[in-house]
Amino acid sequence: MTENNFWLKKMEISVSEAEKRTVRNAMNMQETYTAYLIETRSVEHTDGQSVLTDSLWRRYSEFELLRNYLLVYYPHIVVPPLPEKRAEFVWHKLSADNMDPDFVERRRIGLENFLLRVASHPILCRDKIFYLFLTQEGNWKETVNETGFQLKADSRLKALNATFRVKNPDKRFTDLKHYSDELQSVISHLLRVRARVADRLYGVYKVHGNYGRVFSEWSAIEKEMGDGLQSAGHHMDVYASSIDDILEDEEHYADQLKEYLFYAEALRAVCRKHELMQYDLEMAAQDLASKKQQCEELATGTVRTFSLKGMTTKLFGQETPEQREARIKVLEEQINEGEQQLKSKNLEGREFVKNAWADIERFKEQKNRDLKEALISYAVMQISMCKKGIQVWTNAKECFSKM
Amino acid sequence: SSRAEFDLPEYSVRRRYQDFDWLRNKLEESQPTHLIPPLPEKFVVKGVVDRFSEEFVETRRKALDKFLKRITDHPVLSFNEHFNVFLTAKDLNAYKKQGITLLTRVGESVKHVTSGYKLRSRPLEFAAIGEYLDTFALKLGTIDRIAQRIIKEEIEYLVELREYGPVYSTWSALEGELAEPLEGVSACIGNCSTALEELTDDMTEDFLPVLREYILYADSMKSVLKKRDQVQAEYEAKLEAVALRKEDRPKVPTDVEKCQDRMECFNADLKADMERWQNNKRQDFRQLLMGMADKNIQYYEKCLMAWESIIPLLQEKQENKWQVH
């Protein structure tokens, strides 16, 4: 794994093809799914030529497995998201069918993007399971499952809405969690409205196609006006059909936004992890404090804290000094253990905060760069659309002028 | 005006829509063999359109101006006495009350044409005109519906845009380095929305009314064609009656002569007016459609400018201006 530090510079990864497959599943039913071809090329130093080193097929669920594994083993990393499982934020002409070729194509690009993101991440790129994902077709699923990562997973991370009363969270993470919630909300809103805008724009362009037909019919009864009308009508048809390509391009912009919508979730997961660690730490500290208190009370004979033992003692009679000694001993052991645990938890917590924040800073810069690029390309798309509009109407105007 | 019938070179008078309506009726009455230009629609559904709104008044004013110009350009109608009075009289109502019906020679005779006669067949050239007008009105009706539909779709698009732009603003408030670019995009979309609103307003005010006027024009022209048919029918019937009565041969009675005269005048006037109408129609539509194309070009140019101006803002390297969020 020594070469993995500079993966992207030496390796080229691409998801080059998608193929529909039908197979009989565990319940002996026909299942159709799409498989994606992942090709890895190694770039030779000397002549810059790339040589195909690995090529295998994976389906979406395997990508999901990979990501879930990464989430468990790298909780302090903002793990790149996968493209959406089902088509959402669709406007009426866009298919919501997972088998639709346009959807498959956009997903292929999204999956490639995911792999490139992981491969260019300074820490994730070194992961063995990731390496095997790209190189070992058979048995990979078994290998991942053998890591036992599902057992390591903190189920509480899935319970997104459960609140944990944390007394001293790192404020940066609290703020970041708010930010990721708001980012999710605003990008969802944006994508929903954009889909409606696309729908309406489509309508406007398509109705102009009707001009083409009626101008043609009208030109039939005219003498001098006929030619001008007829050719103008043709331009109206061109105008009407131009919207299909325009909106297809815009889908790429929507996909870029979606990636960050899903990234917001990943960001939230890291904040959540910190919250949970902090919670566990505070609980452990609390538990330790109460045990110490208990110990003290047992030693001095005063009962200030409620304990089950205390209650049962009251109900069933006093305990013997030997019993008390035994209990103190047990507590002291527990306290020792507890102090060790607290120390290590504290250390873990601080390590986590340090590493997580480093990755978050990296992520922020990436996000700002990427989204700026996305906005620029969106503006460029709009400019192109305006220029096309000007062209078509100028042509039509010329035809009208010849009437 | 430099014409002899007008006492003064310039006049300025106030007129209401109903005065225009009166004028048109008088013209139809006194010049039945000619094509009288249409007026903008008389009845306006209350509550749907504000009769006192600036846009409505302006649209009507332009249509009424066009109406007068068309009459002015007409070699016969422009000399009509009613028209003269309309343009000059200080107190038009007094004149109206006089109930003066100035009929031209032809007008007088056409007025008395009985409508009982049925025309066997229209001469080819007038049949062609009739067919043309039918198809023409039909196509214009379709274009009117398409134009209305486009405006409707554009307005719905505008509604969505007006929600879309501000979301970028909301997002901008969350960000640091991206705040300016996002705000810029929001403003840009706002500008495009305004440009779109201007386009739909222009189309509603300038394009649709002219289309509708031409449909009304075609309708009134078809009724003139029918009147012509009646005149011809009467002539043919009377001629036939005479042919059956052998006494008056070979001399054709003056009665029938008058009918023939009437018919030939009507045909001549109508043919001349049709030619003039075709020419004007071609110019009017040329101007109308070029105007429509122009407005769309202007809309796209405004949007283009907005988006082009934002590119430098988006590409700007923020020199640690903001805390990296």
Side-chain angles (χ1 to χ4, degrees), chain A residues 179 182-183 189 196 200-201 205 211 217 222 225 239 253 364 367 372 378 397 400-401 403, chain B residues 132 139 150 156-157 160 163-164 168 171 174-175 281-282 286 289 294 300 314 316 325:
Chain A
Y179 168 76
E182 310 221 292
L183 187 68
H189 188 193
R196 294 204 303 262
R200 293 303 181 190
L201 190 61
Y205 271 73
Y211 273 150
E217 290 166 4
E222 296 291 342
M225 277 169 58
Y239 182 69
Y253 172 67
K364 280 177 184 170
K367 177 204 82 180
K372 250 198 205 170
Y378 184 64
K397 186 179 173 187
F400 291 138
S401 74
M403 267 167 49
Chain B
Y132 170 82
K139 295 307 150 193
I150 289 175
E156 288 178 344
Y157 172 49
E160 301 298 348
E163 188 182 331
Y164 185 51
Y168 282 97
W171 187 358
L174 300 176
E175 299 286 340
K281 172 212 80 185
R282 183 162 74 98
R286 184 173 173 277
L289 293 169
D294 241 339
Y300 278 113
L314 293 175
E316 198 178 83
H325 200 292

Side-chain angles (χ1 to χ4, degrees), chain B residues 119 121 123 228-237 263 267:
Chain B
L119 184 67
S121 67
R228 189 219 70 89
D229 288 346
Q230 280 166 19
V231 169
Q232 181 176 335
E234 191 187 17
Y235 165 66
E236 284 176 353
M263 180 189 79
N267 287 352

Side-chain angles (χ1 to χ4, degrees), chain B residues 55-56 58-59 62 200-209:
Chain B
E55 295 86 21
F56 177 76
E58 179 58 18
T59 303
K62 284 193 210 154
T200 55
D201 283 346
D202 282 348
M203 290 299 282
T204 309
E205 283 159 31
D206 297 333
F207 187 78
L208 291 179

